[in-house]
């Protein structure tokens, strides 16, 4: 029952694409956490913007994992809507949700307070993710 075929040949196309996206999301999360942990050692432009850009990229990849057969435009629009909704939810400052925001995970997911610049960061991150995704899809088609 053992085979010499590589794992990527044994998986179906959808499972293989989901696997690659899963690896990408793990790398993105690691980079995002590192951008927060090592913020003081990074150049200002990275420490100020990288976390939110990477958060948006992570959301995009997550949507691609769920809807792998949908278009890049669908994933981009849904990602932007989700990111914008989370950011706008920060305008709501009830005690119960602020208690969640004060936890590490709650703060990472829900943020702390509304900043309009975050909308720009999210847009940039998703455009970057779509561009990289499109490039990778084209490279796979060439093979």
């Amino acid at each position: 029952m053992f085979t010499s075929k590589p794992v990527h040949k044994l998986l179906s196309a959808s499972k293989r694409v989901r696997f690659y996206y899963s690896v990408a999301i793990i790398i993105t999360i690691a980079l995002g956490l590192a951008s927060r942990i090592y913020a003081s050692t990074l150049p200002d432009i990275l420490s100020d913007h990288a976390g939110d850009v990477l958060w948006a990229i992570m959301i995009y990849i997550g949507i691609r994992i769920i809807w792998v057969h949908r278009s890049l435009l669908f994933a981009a629009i849904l990602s932007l809507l989700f990111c914008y909704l989370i950011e706008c939810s920060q305008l709501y400052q009830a005690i119960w949700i602020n208690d969640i925001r004060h936890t590490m995970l709650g703060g990472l997911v829900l943020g702390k307070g509304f900043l309009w610049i975050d909308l720009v960061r999210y847009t940039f991150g998703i455009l970057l993710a779509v561009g990289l995704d499109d490039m990778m899809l084209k490279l796979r088609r060439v093979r």
Side-chain angles (χ1 to χ4, degrees), residues 8 10-12 14 17 19 25 35 41 43 46 55 58 69 72-75 80 84 96 110 120 123 127 132 137 142:
H8 72 277
L10 297 174
L11 297 173
S12 69
S14 293
V17 171
F19 172 77
I25 208 167
S35 77
T41 62
L46 285 178
W55 187 82
M58 180 196 67
H69 295 295
L72 300 183
L73 181 62
F74 171 84
L80 278 173
Y84 289 3
W96 69 271
L110 298 174
V120 175
T123 303
L127 288 174
L132 290 171
L137 290 171
V142 170

Side-chain angles (χ1 to χ4, degrees), residues 36 51 54 74 94 102 126 137:
R36 300 290 190 196
L54 290 164
F74 171 84
H102 288 359
I126 291 168
L137 290 171

